Amino acid sequence: MSLRKRINGSRRSPLAAIIVIAAGLLFSGGGFAVATSVVESNIATAYTADQIAEGKKLFLSNCASCHGLNSEGTKAGPSLIGVGAASVDFQVGSGRMPGQGSGPQLPKKTVQFTEEQIGLMAAYVASLAPGPAIPEDQYLEATGDAAHGGELFRINCAMCHNAVGAGGALTEGKYAPVLKGVSAKHVYEAMVTGPQSMPVFNDSNLTPTDKQDIITYLAYMDENESAGGYALASLGPVAEGLFVWIFGLGGIIAITVWLAAKSN
Amino acid sequence: MAGKDLEKSKEAEGFEHEFESGLAVISETKISDPGLAPHRVRMTDKSPKHAKNAERQVAVLFLLSVVGSFFALWAYVAFPITEDLATVRANNLWLGLGMTLSLLGIGIGAVHWAKTLMPDFEVSEARHQTRGSEDVRAAAVEIVKLADQESGFSRRKLIRRTMYGALALFPLPALIVFGDLGPVVGDSLRHTMWKKGTRLTKDPTGIPIKASDVTLGSVFHVIPEGLAEMHEHKLEEKAKAAVLLVRLNQEDLKEDEAKKSWSYDGIVAYSKICTHVGCPVALYEQHTHHLLCPCHQSTFDVTEHCKVVFGPASRSLPQLPITVDAEGYLIAQSDFLEPVGPSFWER
Amino acid sequence: MTTAVSEKKPEGALASTANYLDERLGVGSILKNFGRKVFPDHWSFMLGEVALYSFVILLISGTFLTFFYQPAMTEVIYDGSYVPLKGAQVSIAYASSLDISFEIRGGMLMRQVHHWSALLFVAAAGLHMLRVFFTGAFRKPREINWLVGFMLFILGMAAGFTGYSLPDDLLSGNGLRIIDGMIKGIPVIGTSISAGLFGGEFPGTEIVARLYGLHILLVPALILIFIAIHLFMVVIHKHTHYSGPGRTDENVVGYPLMPVYVAKAGGFFFIVFAVVMLISATFTINPIWNYGPYDPSPVSAGTQPDWYIGWLDGALRLAPTGLDISFLGHTYPFGVLIPLVGSLVFLGLVAVYPFIEAWVTADKREHHVLDRPRNAPTRTAIGAAGVTFYGVLWAAASTDLIATFFQVSLNQVLVSMQVMLIVGPIFAYIVTKRTCLSLQRKDREIVLHGRETGRIVRLPHGEYIEVHEPLDKFEMYKLVDFKDYRPTIVRPNEKGKITVGTRIRSALSRIYFEDRISPVSQSELNEAQAHDHSPAIEATKQEQLSK
């Protein structure tokens, strides 16, 4: 049988193959493009147009001077396109933003906006481009596996934040902050957005369950006091050494001065 | 002549030998020693009431110790340990405080007794010169000479020399048995688990990593495929094979021509073992693209093949050449092309 | 025929016990010779005791720990009460350490007592060493005892290091990793030593058990032997004493062993133990559960060794970048070797200092009266420089914590300390020497003219003077009884040659003794008193003061 006859005899249109291939390329290529820009599995919150408009107003009066009128970024502040609601919720919610002053790292300050206002600003920034969303409550409860969380924490987080989150130094005056007392939501958001020097821990690296386990571990450390007594800020041998010299040996020397002194 | 004056002979007994005083200045007009100061009478010496008070204080302290001992015994039983960590803290605290009181009472009591009630008259005791007297030294010399004579140690050269030889050599077998403490150092430092085609997987789960997972700004802690399931030599292999995986913008990477093929689409993989003394170089600063080692603060620049920019390390971190396989998973192209970790002699 | 042998039967329980022991051990003779031995009393003499008692506490608490700790690196799944580690794969050593902390009553307490006491042991030994140094107690006949004490300090560090590596946790494991890295860097034999120590590649399965053997057997045995030698020499030499009325190089002034010292020193043991116990009951130390089991991949921010190893870690941090050299096919990691060799050189200098000073002064007399630090300005200045050097290295181990705590740049902290390491000791030397000389001058002033009372008197001719209270002869003697030395000049020896040794010795003697303050002599004192107490001044003073 000739080739032509075989093609004519098939039930599918000759274009079908082309369409299938094109669709496949579109989906995989498009999916790939989306994947390389953002890999998050959060369900995007539906924001109303009103919320976005209110958020934009707040943005223009408080953020645009550094982040640009269209959030495109200026010399003073990076672009917010694609950073997602989670970034806003973390940065503004922890008081780091609005950023003031210069220095190697922007510190936490008093929170300047209400929860509602933060939500509106988050809505606006989320509307600019797809980005990490505010995490769902189910991942924020401390009901995960603290042991697994601890293992992940030691591998991914302890080198900057210390094995129990007591904080640590980075170069040139930057630092990884203390994690005690930080809300589960902010911990999650920080992992997912990678604020300042912190790397991004997307959901392929640490799945939402992994992140919940880490939150559970940190919650355990927060709630349970050290079993040996006061922890000396969990700073390790340096604190212990200073303590033994100042209070241990110092106290004993005070006693020896009494011991060797003549009695009245 | 300054420095060679001999001291005046000592009047104290037993200090018969006069030592040279070297550069010391012996003054002729030194202010003389007034002798021991008069004893200052304590209240407890003068007044029986104070003495009785002191006695009672000492007794109270000893009794407090008894209270402490009983308290500690009770605390051991009264604060059992359960699954709840707070019980450990409680047991530690109360048992410890009881023992503290038990010890402190005796200590302070004994010292207070000594200070207030025992005599505090200063007493002077004569020293004896450490150097023996001439008689003693002469006798010692005689004994040694006699021993030498009777043994013939000095005379008998053959015995002496062969003895030295024997004594020098006999410890050597004792040392050589420590030879099996460890294996002969082979090539182990030059090879890691990484081979052509080994997938990069997440630490500690061993789940393979796709290139698409590695987004800009993220850092993955990586172990070779197969390590997570190992039972023998797991940590030894991990101590050489641990890797850090980051993605940079291609234009930020300043790559050598020869090593351009080692990265994949801006994703680079470097050994996590610091080239200073071997700690994990785990801190990644997302914006400066610096890797910081927390032990001694060696800093490496990822944009320039992890060369050292600060700190005591000398060599850049070895780079693991990577690419992707057919399914998009990141794989190694080969083992590291140089030994990982700290410098060593044979490197 | 019977030979009459009179036997007095001892009466009473105490007497019969004493009799029993005397007939078998000769305790009577011991009591006679040692019972009333005189020991001088000063608080600074008790630092060595603190170290000794800490060691006893270590032995007691350590024995408890040996009943529960297992030095094996075999992996098990942790199944104890500590929730954040449940299911984790850990070594038996780590698991048994966790069990001691969380499952056994008193276990946490004994672990903490042991570790706190270890920190105290080395601290007290170090401070004791400084006291001995600054008072010149290492001079003849105690040079060998100085070396014994030095060995004890080193052994203390060894005991501590082997000890805290036993739980096989992340923090101490990284410490072992660093040691391994340093050892591997030693030329020629480094990799072989590393393989021998770890039984193969790092971390291996042998190291914890080997360190255990060192920690509970070899090192404590050596410490005990050296302590015995150390104390034996104190008995032979008798203890030193500070200068003062009635105190000479030929006597020792103080209190008798029985009963005063038995009570004071014995009581002090209980006090030291109580202090350690109090701290252990209330403060956490080495929370190994926070660090997790050792794994070559994770690491915690703030990775420092125990304080007494800190100076070595600091030395590693301060080494400048890029000191490794590759030459003829071999690598010389000077970035690691310089701190290593430098530390050994520093320790060596500490060990041989008494011999250097003895060589410079050529003073072969026995010294039993201690120097006040100000009266040996150069020695004190050298000591201050040494302490500064050690202190900068020690502080350098916590550069990252300093950076976070004071909110400064880590890099700037490090560079500042690199500068301070060189500048600090020089500065400390100069300032200390000048301060000592000034203090000596002040002492001279007080001896010659008495203490200022703050009371002003106006003399008939209009001059205002401040009334000085003269020292009584006992206070005065303390300030004038110190050794005075003079520098030597270079002289040819019998063969008419001036040797290099003589030149060096002369130069050193000038550094030591060129700037010096001599003690006040009787003639100077007479002159000063004649001046201060002229009849006119005395009369006016009496008149004014009686108003």
Side-chain angles (χ1 to χ4, degrees):
Chain A
M1 217 183 283
S2 71
L3 209 63
R4 175 175 285 239
K5 239 183 151 182
R6 197 146 54 131
I7 291 168
N8 283 339
S10 76
R11 287 172 61 202
R12 292 199 180 96
S13 153
L15 286 175
I18 298 168
I19 290 167
V20 164
I21 291 169
L25 280 172
L26 203 66
F27 282 120
S28 61
F32 185 82
V34 169
T36 47
S37 59
V38 150
V39 183
E40 301 310 332
S41 63
N42 309 303
I43 301 161
T45 315
Y47 294 111
T48 66
D50 275 341
Q51 284 175 316
I52 294 171
E54 286 299 310
K56 181 163 183 176
K57 279 194 219 151
L58 284 165
F59 174 84
L60 287 172
S61 33
N62 294 290
C63 321
S65 51
C66 290
H67 286 290
L69 286 170
N70 297 309
S71 308
E72 74 281 17
T74 67
K75 271 207 281 271
S79 161
L80 297 184
I81 299 173
V83 300
S87 294
V88 177
D89 193 54
F90 174 77
Q91 298 280 3
V92 185
S94 65
R96 287 176 171 85
M97 287 290 136
Q100 285 167 12
S102 59
Q105 182 157 330
L106 291 163
K108 272 204 292 210
K109 310 184 299 295
T110 327
V111 180
Q112 296 197 10
F113 297 96
T114 64
E115 277 296 320
E116 204 204 326
Q117 289 172 317
I118 296 172
L120 294 171
M121 287 191 275
Y124 170 66
V125 171
S127 71
L128 295 172
I134 295 172
E136 294 169 46
D137 282 341
Q138 56 162 296
Y139 295 115
L140 304 178
E141 280 153 47
T143 50
D145 181 352
H148 185 236
E151 189 182 18
L152 290 171
F153 189 84
R154 282 190 290 278
I155 292 173
N156 292 286
C157 324
M159 71 290 262
C160 293
H161 286 284
N162 169 282
V164 291
L170 302 175
T171 62
E172 308 289 351
K174 307 189 289 290
Y175 58 92
V178 175
L179 297 179
K180 193 173 170 74
V182 176
S183 72
K185 187 173 64 135
H186 285 165
V187 171
Y188 197 107
E189 287 166 349
M191 283 194 271
V192 124
T193 62
Q196 299 199 76
S197 299
M198 180 166 166
V200 173
F201 291 95
N202 57 49
D203 283 351
S204 312
N205 193 352
L206 293 173
T207 66
T209 318
D210 286 340
K211 293 190 171 77
Q212 184 182 18
D213 288 344
I214 290 177
I215 287 167
T216 309
Y217 171 73
L218 288 172
Y220 184 93
M221 301 319 273
D222 267 1
E223 282 153 33
N224 287 282
E225 299 207 57
S226 175
Y230 292 114
L232 294 171
S234 295
L235 289 175
V238 173
E240 293 158 7
L242 279 172
F243 186 87
V244 90
W245 270 93
I246 297 171
F247 297 102
L249 200 51
I252 287 177
I253 288 176
I255 293 173
T256 59
V257 173
W258 164 72
L259 197 153
K262 287 201 188 303
S263 170
N264 188 7
Chain B
M1 201 164 85
K4 297 293 179 195
D5 305 81
L6 292 178
E7 279 192 308
K8 295 194 286 274
S9 54
K10 303 263 194 288
E11 285 146 63
E13 75 173 68
F15 274 79
E16 41 166 83
H17 184 87
E18 293 162 16
F19 289 104
E20 288 188 4
S21 53
L23 302 183
V25 175
I26 313 295
S27 167
E28 294 295 322
T29 58
K30 186 176 166 190
I31 293 176
S32 57
D33 184 349
L36 288 178
H39 176 247
R40 194 188 70 175
V41 180
R42 298 172 296 188
M43 287 306 292
T44 46
D45 295 330
K46 285 195 290 206
S47 145
K49 191 163 84 80
H50 278 85
K52 206 85 186 87
N53 267 344
E55 200 182 318
R56 262 183 240 123
Q57 287 162 355
V58 174
V60 163
L61 287 163
F62 287 152
L63 281 173
L64 278 174
S65 164
V66 171
V67 166
S69 302
F70 279 123
F71 183 85
L73 290 171
W74 171 77
Y76 183 85
V77 178
F79 294 96
I81 294 182
T82 64
E83 292 271 312
D84 182 6
L85 224 54
T87 58
V88 174
R89 195 176 152 103
N91 179 282
N92 185 61
L93 178 68
W94 296 115
L95 184 59
L97 286 179
M99 289 170 84
T100 302
L101 185 61
S102 141
L103 293 163
L104 200 62
I106 298 177
I108 307 270
V111 173
H112 191 53
W113 181 6
K115 282 183 62 160
T116 54
L117 296 170
M118 294 187 192
D120 68 339
F121 289 87
E122 277 187 330
V123 173
S124 169
E125 186 185 356
R127 292 182 192 265
H128 304 277
Q129 197 173 49
T130 311
R131 184 188 209 275
S133 69
E134 292 306 319
D135 300 334
V136 165
R137 288 161 70 99
V141 169
E142 277 312 304
I143 291 174
V144 173
K145 275 196 185 148
L146 192 62
D148 184 40
Q149 214 176 41
E150 290 182 356
S151 67
F153 189 77
S154 306
R155 274 183 296 129
R156 302 182 205 266
K157 269 194 286 209
L158 185 61
I159 291 183
R160 196 172 68 243
R161 289 176 180 173
T162 49
M163 186 188 85
Y164 287 152
L167 286 176
L169 289 174
F170 98 91
L172 295 184
L175 294 174
I176 205 165
V177 293
F178 284 97
D180 271 1
L181 267 180
V184 176
V185 178
D187 255 3
S188 55
L189 287 171
R190 297 182 189 281
H191 305 295
T192 75
M193 247 180 98
W194 293 104
K195 294 186 186 3
K196 183 173 156 113
T198 312
R199 278 187 177 169
L200 277 69
T201 66
K202 289 199 281 189
D203 182 10
T205 52
I207 297 172
I209 304 167
K210 283 199 168 161
S212 53
D213 294 339
V214 187
T215 55
L216 267 177
S218 46
V219 62
F220 281 72
H221 295 268
V222 166
I223 49 177
E225 191 176 25
L227 183 70
E229 296 79 39
M230 279 173 77
H231 291 287
E232 301 270 313
H233 302 295
K234 183 172 178 180
L235 294 184
E236 288 77 39
E237 294 300 334
K238 199 171 189 184
K240 293 187 295 184
V243 154
L244 269 175
L245 191 65
V246 294
R247 179 197 281 266
L248 274 60
N249 271 322
Q250 189 65 53
E251 52 269 20
D252 289 334
L253 279 171
K254 306 185 195 65
E255 290 178 293
D256 284 349
E257 273 310 307
K259 296 184 187 171
K260 264 201 154 78
S261 59
W262 291 9
S263 63
Y264 179 80
D265 196 24
I267 304 176
V268 287
Y270 284 94
S271 167
K272 196 170 163 183
I273 311 302
C274 189
T275 54
H276 179 226
V277 278
C279 279
V281 183
L283 286 82
Y284 177 56
E285 291 180 357
Q286 199 207 129
H287 292 300
T288 59
H289 305 304
H290 282 171
L291 287 174
L292 173 68
C293 184
C295 288
H296 310 106
Q297 289 78 50
S298 296
T299 313
F300 304 88
D301 188 352
V302 183
T303 64
E304 290 193 59
H305 292 296
C306 281
K307 70 165 203 217
V308 180
V309 293
F310 187 81
S314 287
R315 285 180 295 104
S316 35
L317 295 174
Q319 185 169 3
L320 184 70
I322 52 170
T323 183
V324 289
D325 67 10
E327 291 156 39
Y329 289 104
L330 287 161
I331 54 169
Q333 293 181 36
S334 68
D335 195 357
F336 290 98
L337 272 81
E338 51 175 332
V340 301
S343 299
F344 53 94
W345 175 251
E346 297 91 337
R347 202 174 189 283
Chain C
M1 210 157 115
T2 51
T3 338
V5 173
S6 68
E7 269 196 43
K8 256 171 63 183
K9 291 263 184 265
E11 283 167 14
L14 188 63
S16 26
T17 315
N19 180 54
Y20 185 92
L21 291 174
D22 188 40
E23 287 182 355
R24 284 152 189 76
L25 300 173
V27 290
S29 157
I30 298 173
L31 269 175
K32 171 180 175 285
N33 291 321
F34 292 102
R36 296 293 283 186
K37 236 178 172 12
V38 169
F39 282 90
D41 209 10
H42 194 270
W43 68 264
S44 63
F45 297 162
M46 310 196 72
L47 296 167
E49 278 177 57
V50 177
L52 176 66
Y53 297 150
S54 307
F55 186 67
V56 172
I57 297 169
L58 285 169
L59 290 176
I60 296 173
S61 53
T63 305
F64 174 92
L65 294 173
T66 60
F67 290 134
F68 298 100
Y69 169 77
Q70 294 168 49
M73 291 174 86
T74 321
E75 301 274 309
V76 290
I77 305 291
Y78 176 72
D79 193 29
S81 350
Y82 189 64
V83 168
L85 284 170
K86 260 205 207 293
Q89 206 178 31
V90 302
S91 62
I92 287 179
Y94 189 70
S96 65
S97 306
L98 289 176
D99 288 343
I100 291 173
S101 306
F102 295 126
E103 317 296 334
I104 295 166
R105 281 178 294 184
M108 175 74 87
L109 188 64
M110 284 298 114
R111 245 199 84 226
Q112 305 213 128
V113 163
H114 196 72
H115 204 133
W116 279 117
S117 192
L119 298 187
L120 187 65
F121 173 64
V122 189
L127 201 57
H128 168 69
M129 237 169 87
L130 287 177
R131 194 283 292 165
V132 168
F133 178 86
F134 285 113
T135 55
F138 53 78
R139 290 172 295 171
K140 183 174 176 178
R142 295 178 178 83
E143 303 98 315
I144 298 176
N145 216 6
W146 169 265
L147 289 175
V148 173
F150 172 81
M151 281 313 303
L152 279 168
F153 186 73
I154 303 295
L155 285 169
M157 290 168 62
F161 179 79
T162 53
Y164 72 70
S165 303
L166 293 180
D168 196 26
D169 57 288
L170 185 63
L171 184 63
S172 64
N174 266 312
L176 280 176
R177 177 63 136 155
I178 293 171
I179 294 291
D180 182 50
M182 289 176 74
I183 291 175
K184 283 192 162 91
I186 296 172
V188 187
I189 48 173
T191 45
S192 304
I193 297 177
S194 164
L197 185 62
F198 289 91
E201 287 193 272
F202 181 88
T205 49
E206 311 298 319
I207 188 66
V208 163
R210 289 177 180 177
L211 293 177
Y212 190 58
L214 291 174
H215 182 73
I216 67 168
L217 183 60
L218 191 62
V219 175
L222 286 173
I223 291 180
L224 277 168
I225 293 172
F226 277 100
I227 288 180
I229 300 174
H230 204 62
L231 295 178
F232 175 65
M233 285 204 243
V234 174
V235 169
I236 304 179
H237 297 143
K238 297 196 184 15
H239 204 284
T240 50
H241 52 193
Y242 286 104
S243 66
R247 287 149 170 83
T248 67
D249 277 321
E250 291 85 40
N251 70 359
V252 55
V253 173
Y255 304 103
L257 183 63
M258 290 176 70
V260 177
Y261 268 97
V262 169
K264 278 193 174 181
F268 190 54
F269 167 69
F270 287 91
I271 294 175
V272 171
F273 206 158
V275 170
V276 172
M277 187 65 70
L278 179 62
I279 295 176
S280 307
T282 48
F283 288 89
T284 311
I285 185 168
N286 198 25
I288 51 171
W289 50 91
N290 287 341
Y291 305 134
Y294 177 64
D295 187 299
S297 165
V299 64
S300 174
T303 289
Q304 273 94 8
D306 271 5
W307 80 263
Y308 42 83
I309 307 287
W311 68 290
L312 296 166
D313 194 56
L316 281 176
R317 293 183 192 217
L318 292 185
T321 315
L323 291 180
D324 281 14
I325 296 178
S326 272
F327 185 65
L328 294 179
H330 291 292
T331 308
Y332 300 81
F334 283 114
V336 165
L337 291 175
I338 290 178
L340 186 62
V341 172
S343 331
L344 291 173
V345 168
F346 177 73
L347 288 174
L349 286 171
V350 169
V352 303
Y353 181 82
F355 304 98
I356 297 175
E357 195 182 286
W359 179 64
V360 173
T361 62
D363 186 351
K364 303 215 188 302
R365 303 168 294 173
E366 285 189 14
H367 293 280
H368 299 286
V369 174
L370 294 171
D371 287 330
R372 290 172 80 202
R374 66 184 64 181
N375 291 328
T378 309
R379 177 203 303 150
T380 305
I382 292 175
V387 168
T388 306
F389 185 76
Y390 181 91
V392 172
L393 288 179
W394 186 12
S398 37
T399 45
D400 50 338
L401 295 176
I402 292 173
T404 37
F405 190 78
F406 293 104
Q407 295 176 359
V408 290
S409 156
L410 176 66
N411 310 69
Q412 285 176 351
V413 170
L414 198 107
V415 172
S416 314
M417 288 193 176
Q418 284 173 325
V419 171
M420 268 201 277
L421 188 67
I422 313 297
V423 169
I426 297 173
F427 183 72
Y429 177 90
I430 295 170
V431 168
T432 307
K433 184 146 181 192
R434 292 293 125 197
T435 309
C436 285
L437 291 168
S438 300
L439 286 169
Q440 282 187 297
R441 279 189 213 107
K442 183 189 131 216
D443 283 351
R444 270 195 138 246
E445 271 298 303
I446 293 177
V447 168
L448 289 172
H449 305 292
R451 285 204 183 83
E452 296 167 348
T453 57
R455 292 201 300 230
I456 313 293
V457 162
R458 189 171 183 271
L459 297 179
H461 58 271
E463 184 187 349
Y464 284 96
I465 54 165
E466 184 177 6
V467 175
H468 283 69
E469 186 191 321
L471 295 178
D472 69 31
K473 57 183 175 178
F474 301 107
E475 291 172 306
M476 182 183 301
Y477 190 68
K478 204 172 161 47
L479 298 181
V480 300
D481 181 29
F482 60 87
K483 304 282 187 299
D484 189 24
Y485 293 89
R486 192 178 298 159
T488 186
I489 52 177
V490 175
R491 283 204 161 73
N493 60 13
E494 311 89 58
K495 298 196 189 121
K497 247 190 75 173
I498 298 177
T499 59
V500 177
T502 319
R503 280 191 210 278
I504 297 175
R505 205 183 130 231
S506 169
L508 284 174
S509 74
R510 258 178 287 126
I511 294 172
Y512 265 87
F513 304 124
E514 201 158 41
D515 292 332
R516 69 187 216 277
I517 309 287
S518 299
V520 173
S521 67
Q522 189 63 56
S523 42
E524 282 182 279
L525 188 62
N526 295 338
E527 204 188 305
Q529 286 180 337
H531 176 267
D532 287 346
H533 300 286
S534 67
I537 295 178
E538 279 302 300
T540 317
K541 266 202 263 184
Q542 289 306 316
E543 188 202 320
Q544 296 266 0
L545 291 174
S546 60
K547 282 187 185 151

